[in-house]
Amino acid sequence: MKTESLFNENIEICPGVIHLPAFADSAQLHSVLQEVLQRAPLRQMQTSRGFPMSVRTSNCGEVGWVSDRRGYRYTQTDPVSEQAWPDMPQAFSSLAQQAAQTAGFPGFVPDACLINHYVPGTQMGAHQDKDEQDFSAPIVSVSLGIDARFYVIGPERRGTSTAIDLSDGDVVVFGGPARKHYHGVRKLKASTHPIWGESRCNLTFRKAR
Ligand code: MD6
Ligand code: FE
């Protein structure tokens, strides 16, 4: 969390979706993330239908989210290195816990952090996050690098969406009645960021087990 912030806005987009603009310290997270990615490099996972995902992913924490022809699940080992996923850095877990608390979810202890890496032109289609065992815990999402437009639909895939424009350092806490709402990310526009270059990293902290 940025300690120099004089105040923190806490914007409720809809019940259970809270936007905390500029909550995270992007420069600090950038250097911490590089160490994680040296041990578990970004890779293009396959969807269950065998197509490569456009977003590159990795994980840290006790378990990591993987996708392949067998489907989606959490694993204790990285299928590429066949080693445990890197430990979740203290800077990551304390940020996630503080963001959850600020949004009204005290006591959040994530055991998984999914790292998604986007370049301009990539997007994430509408989906639900439902591979976790405990839906009472929120998901804390941290946006780093170039801007993106996130959208929330609702419990059904079809319907009108609400947009949230996310900038570097923004956090979204997604829980309570919205925990299983459909959501996605629109195709990223070309842009560059002084630290992150032409990319966006999204960290999603979960209680998977
Ligand atoms: C992204 N985020 O922002 C993708 N999922 O790149 C998600 O899919 C997401 O932001 C669950 C809760 C919050 C999220
Ligand atoms: Fe998601």
Side-chain angles (χ1 to χ4, degrees):
M1 180 175 154
K2 281 171 105 165
T3 46
E4 66 270 28
S5 305
L6 292 175
F7 58 90
N8 279 307
E9 281 179 278
N10 185 325
I11 305 164
E12 191 183 60
I13 305 297
C14 62
V17 181
I18 295 94
H19 180 195
L20 307 173
F23 191 85
D25 183 338
S26 170
Q28 180 208 18
L29 295 176
H30 184 268
S31 62
V32 175
L33 182 61
Q34 299 323 302
E35 291 174 32
V36 169
L37 295 179
Q38 273 170 23
R39 294 197 43 211
L42 293 165
R43 78 291 305 266
Q44 243 174 327
M45 292 194 192
Q46 302 244 310
T47 65
S48 55
R49 293 180 176 184
F51 296 108
M53 291 177 61
S54 66
V55 170
R56 291 190 302 152
T57 66
S58 189
N59 292 278
C60 61
E62 285 163 43
V63 291
W65 185 88
V66 300
S67 171
D68 60 21
R69 291 306 297 261
R70 287 160 54 199
Y72 308 126
R73 65 198 176 281
Y74 283 92
T75 64
Q76 285 179 293
T77 53
D78 176 348
V80 172
S81 68
E82 298 181 339
Q83 306 285 310
W85 294 105
D87 287 339
M88 192 182 298
Q90 176 68 38
F92 281 21
S93 45
S94 61
L95 167 66
Q97 187 265 319
Q98 286 178 46
Q101 170 143 347
T102 301
F105 297 92
F108 177 57
V109 181
D111 59 8
C113 171
L114 171 63
I115 302 155
N116 282 144
H117 178 273
Y118 299 74
V119 294
T122 54
Q123 63 187 321
M124 171 137 349
H127 66 277
Q128 293 173 296
D129 286 73
K130 54 177 188 185
D131 302 319
E132 300 74 28
Q133 278 168 20
D134 179 5
F135 296 122
S136 68
I139 294 179
V140 172
S141 166
V142 180
S143 290
L144 301 163
I146 66 173
D147 294 350
R149 175 164 283 186
F150 180 79
Y151 61 93
V152 183
I153 310 172
E156 311 289 337
R157 187 186 291 275
R158 304 181 70 108
T160 57
S161 62
T162 303
I164 314 178
D165 286 320
L166 295 177
S167 298
D168 183 45
D170 285 11
V171 174
V172 173
V173 181
F174 207 88
R179 179 61 182 72
K180 283 188 274 181
H181 279 7
Y182 280 89
H183 58 278
V185 178
R186 303 283 180 214
K187 195 177 279 195
L188 263 71
K189 294 195 173 122
S191 178
T192 186
H193 179 278
I195 298 173
W196 297 86
E198 292 181 345
S199 75
R200 170 175 185 263
C201 262
N202 176 253
L203 310 176
T204 43
F205 295 92
R206 299 118 187 284
K207 175 89 186 77
R209 293 197 168 163

